[in-house]
Amino acid sequence: MGHRLTAVRVHDHFRFVPSSFWYGKPSMDPELEGWWQVFSLAVCSGYERMALEPFLRGERIRVASMAHTHGGFQQGHSEGHAATLEAVFTRDGLVHDQPGAEVALPIPLPEDPARPPAGPPWNCGGVGEPAAVVQAVVAAAERMYGSAENAPDAVGWLLDEEFAFGEPYETTGEFLGDLADAVAHQGTCTDTTAEAVPFLTELVCDDSVAPGSRLALLGDLLRLAASGPAAAVSSADRVTALGCGWEESAAEYLTRRAIVSELPRLLSRWEDESGAVRFALAALTAVCKAHDQHAPSMLATLPAPADSSRADVVSLMAALLSDDREGLVSTLDRLAAWRYREGRRPERGSSESGTVHPSSPHPRRREARDHSGGVIHRNRVYPVPLHAAKQLDLDHPQYRRSAPPGEQGDEAADE
């Protein structure tokens, strides 16, 4: 299958290695005591990274099903320069060592199918100059809280003297990124995230903030509202393997509840907003499952020509808002058809780490590779998150920054 290195170790192996930092320390994941982990390094070369994406996605889906069959689940993956990953690969428990091995890629490489035609372009205005946006955001913070001492932790830094006299931002996107990270570090809701929701709502409704920046902030609210459902998806394989239930974290629940309480104010501006903002508002309403009586008429005003990709996404919103499970299935079928999903080829993928149930007679490999760090799970039958209204309509304005360019040269996956 072309893998270069494979190792099998008991979970938390480094807790039993005297030279390790983790030696003797309590397990960070006690639920997996007695389970096995499989680590594997695979190398692909000869193509730019983005050209490999459909193939790697198919491999993830294929091995996700295989791993579930043997009671295991994926625990992580990463990518980088092949020589570097090979040098740092821990050899403890090594069961396979094939120097110079590379994955034999199919010829031709699979490609994603042609997407449906997009809807008409959005006109949402620019994000504004960084200095002007910073000034408007700080003014809103002063208006709401007066001083840093009275502001939530995620907002107080905007009213601090150190911020006022600090280096100016070069781009508006950089500032909006810092603000989003302060509210939810790396997209993770914390105990203080919910407290910042009224402030984000104030900014979305503040006409002194550039229209494009207001849209970006609305996108932040959308991502926060979807964080709980997204966590359910990302943990589905683990929950299934452990045979336990899943509970939304208190921070995710409180954040979504705070957003639901702000929805009436956001939706009251519907008639005055651009099509792009309306689209994001409709998506937010669907994610929050806010059964607004005006929702059907709101969706009808969105420019979504029949047989367009945007029409599929609007159908997803409608199905979520009406709890139409039959309509949801047919809509997800259409959305899933946008991506190459072959996952039943002979085993030839690239793998990183997996966890295997201790009752399994033979440790089974859990394989995955993905530049974005996403995870494909058995329970995620369709590669479409609940906030697909934002993620999937690629003709919609980008809320933050463009995706990183594809890397060139050797590609490898390891954990």
Side-chain angles (χ1 to χ4, degrees), residues 183-185 187-193 223-225 227-228 249 251-252 255:
V183 172
H185 181 55
T188 302
C189 293
T190 66
D191 294 341
T192 61
T193 299
R223 280 186 287 274
L224 293 174
S227 61
S249 74
E252 291 162 345
T255 296

Side-chain angles (χ1 to χ4, degrees), residues 234-317:
S234 66
S235 62
D237 266 9
R238 177 191 172 98
V239 168
T240 300
L242 290 172
C244 60
W246 176 84
E247 291 186 5
E248 185 176 33
S249 74
E252 291 162 345
Y253 169 75
L254 292 173
T255 296
R256 191 175 67 258
R257 191 172 72 173
I259 293 172
V260 170
S261 68
E262 297 290 348
L263 263 180
R265 182 186 180 191
L266 292 167
L267 292 175
S268 70
R269 296 172 53 90
W270 178 273
E271 296 298 332
D272 300 322
E273 296 291 6
S274 66
V277 171
R278 290 182 180 184
F279 185 83
L281 281 173
L284 183 62
T285 305
V287 169
C288 292
K289 292 190 175 181
H291 299 285
D292 190 287
Q293 60 179 337
H294 303 297
S297 59
M298 289 163 44
L299 294 179
T301 66
L302 298 175
D307 300 321
S308 68
S309 59
R310 191 178 299 163
D312 287 345
V313 176
V314 172
S315 295
L316 174 63
M317 297 182 199

Side-chain angles (χ1 to χ4, degrees), residues 1-263:
M1 64 184 177
H3 286 222
R4 189 170 295 185
L5 296 167
T6 303
V8 181
R9 297 189 287 271
V10 69
H11 180 72
D12 277 345
H13 157 76
F14 291 107
R15 291 178 55 234
F16 309 103
V17 178
S19 61
S20 170
F21 168 81
W22 297 104
Y23 179 68
K25 289 182 168 57
S27 174
M28 299 291 290
D29 206 347
E31 288 184 315
L32 297 181
E33 183 178 355
W35 287 55
W36 291 90
Q37 288 181 301
V38 181
F39 301 81
S40 193
L41 173 68
V43 177
C44 303
S45 64
Y47 293 91
E48 291 186 359
R49 171 59 183 80
M50 296 309 296
L52 293 169
E53 179 58 31
F55 166 74
L56 297 177
R57 189 186 310 122
E59 291 294 276
R60 294 197 306 273
I61 295 172
R62 179 181 65 83
V63 297
S65 299
M66 180 186 70
H68 171 71
T69 300
H70 299 286
F73 63 96
Q74 180 188 6
Q75 198 164 18
H77 62 269
S78 62
E79 294 187 9
H81 189 266
T84 301
L85 293 179
E86 184 172 6
V88 300
F89 190 94
T90 301
R91 264 64 172 182
D92 294 347
L94 192 68
V95 296
H96 173 78
D97 184 357
Q98 188 174 350
E102 294 192 9
V103 173
L105 299 171
I107 299 176
L109 283 174
E111 297 181 357
D112 282 331
R115 291 170 57 86
W122 298 112
N123 180 17
C124 60
V127 296
E129 292 298 319
V133 173
V134 170
Q135 182 179 12
V137 170
V138 170
E142 291 175 339
R143 187 167 63 246
M144 290 187 68
Y145 306 110
S147 66
E149 291 75 17
N150 299 324
D153 291 344
V155 181
W157 62 284
L158 295 168
L159 302 176
D160 193 276
E161 286 188 6
E162 184 176 342
F163 175 77
F165 294 101
E167 291 292 325
Y169 281 93
E170 295 184 1
T171 67
T172 302
E174 183 184 3
F175 169 65
L176 294 178
D178 282 354
L179 179 58
D181 199 56
V183 172
H185 181 55
Q186 296 182 349
T188 302
C189 293
T190 66
D191 294 341
T192 61
T193 299
E195 298 174 357
V197 167
F199 179 64
L200 292 180
T201 302
E202 175 70 17
L203 297 179
V204 172
C205 298
D206 188 346
D207 289 326
S208 67
V209 178
S213 290
R214 293 198 301 111
L215 177 60
L217 293 161
L218 184 57
D220 291 335
L221 286 175
L222 177 56
R223 280 186 287 274
L224 293 174
S227 61
V233 170
S234 66
S235 62
D237 266 9
R238 177 191 172 98
V239 168
T240 300
L242 290 172
C244 60
W246 176 84
E247 291 186 5
E248 185 176 33
S249 74
E252 291 162 345
Y253 169 75
L254 292 173
T255 296
R256 191 175 67 258
R257 191 172 72 173
I259 293 172
V260 170
S261 68
E262 297 290 348
L263 263 180

Side-chain angles (χ1 to χ4, degrees), residues 368-415:
R369 277 196 48 177
D370 184 69
H371 179 72
S372 67
V375 179
I376 300 291
H377 293 289
R378 178 192 68 85
N379 285 6
R380 186 173 178 172
V381 179
Y382 304 93
V384 182
L386 291 181
H387 51 301
K390 170 184 172 294
Q391 296 279 26
L392 292 175
D393 195 2
L394 297 185
D395 66 329
H396 193 280
Q398 294 297 312
Y399 293 122
R400 185 70 65 236
R401 304 184 181 96
S402 59
E407 298 177 1
Q408 212 167 349
D410 285 351
E411 294 287 347
D414 173 55
E415 178 66 20

